[in-house]
Amino acid sequence: MDNLTLQCYSFSMNDFNGWKKDRFKDERLIVLPIESFSEYVSHPQIRRLYLTDVGFFPRADRHFRERTDGIEEYIFFYCMEGKGMIRVEGKTYTLRANEAFCIPRYAAHVYYAYEEDPWSILWVHFKGEDAGFFPLKDCRVVRFASERAANRMRDLFNLLFDALDGTYTLGNFIYISHVLSLILAETYDREKTGDVREQSRHMTEIIRYMYGHLGEALTLEGLSRESGLSQSYLNVIFRKHTQHSPMDFFIRLKMQKACRLLRTTDRYIYEIAQDLGYTDPYYFSRIFKKVTGISPKQYKNSEYDMLPIW
């Protein structure tokens, strides 16, 4: 590992000497002999998603693992308490209680428990055809805001352990694959009430800000700075709730107001363009036509009540 990488850690890699790679009090660790059950793995209900290893490390003091070339499986973590650091392809993430994270397959990574508050983690290594249907390559921390959601995740892992304590039959392998699918769906597909409420609050605040600045040339960078949210997060929540990027949504708000001014006032088109922050009326007309399908002049002289902005 080069010096540049070492500088990204809060302490030197020498400090990890003697740290444990596994073996913790009351831990659970199960490694499936997949090679011995190759006919199971080829089953259509199993090959979609199947685990190779699963475990629980409680209060994993001095837990550390580094894989410079990654591994063949995805690595999914759910943190029950404490916190730890995960570094994937040069980017660092902190995982705290009631948060989940997945390391993509073949991605170089390092992870370790924080010394002052070591994590307790449930984890699973898995692969399969359906992995591509989940945003596992996004490398994002997913938070479970409610205790109910956190309990569901723990219950699903308990189902995994219970099934793996049984016999290695075809039916059990199919059941395990379905539970694994539920764990990923619980993390990435199920709406999280706290998250939705938080996103709605952010959306409301940003849209109100946009309405108050329709005469300006806002940028995504400026919205990010004003809201205190990352540009990538703004893109995610706007596309999720409006099917438009933040800047596309802002432009459509401008064109919506342009329609209203064109229909309800006698102002010239260039004056309306200036009101909406466009110094070039021809550029304004091109944007208007791109969004609405007709030019401002055509709309002003038409009988349309309101053009389809959205």
Side-chain angles (χ1 to χ4, degrees), residues 22 24 27-28 55-60 63 119-121 123:
D22 40 42
F24 305 99
E27 76 172 32
R28 295 202 66 183
F56 169 55
F57 290 167
R59 304 302 292 178
H63 180 210
W119 58 14
S120 293
I121 52 171
W123 56 267

Side-chain angles (χ1 to χ4, degrees), residues 133-183:
F133 294 114
F134 297 96
L136 306 178
K137 296 181 180 179
D138 290 356
C139 289
R140 61 187 175 94
V141 175
V142 178
R143 176 157 187 79
F144 296 83
S146 70
E147 187 62 29
R148 182 178 298 178
N151 287 337
R152 281 197 302 268
M153 181 61 72
R154 296 170 192 180
D155 289 343
L156 288 170
F157 268 91
N158 280 332
L159 290 176
L160 276 187
F161 285 118
D162 288 345
L164 289 164
D165 283 339
T167 56
Y168 290 163
T169 62
L170 175 62
N172 238 4
F173 267 73
I174 292 173
Y175 177 79
I176 289 166
S177 291
H178 286 301
V179 175
L180 176 58
S181 181
L182 281 174
I183 287 173

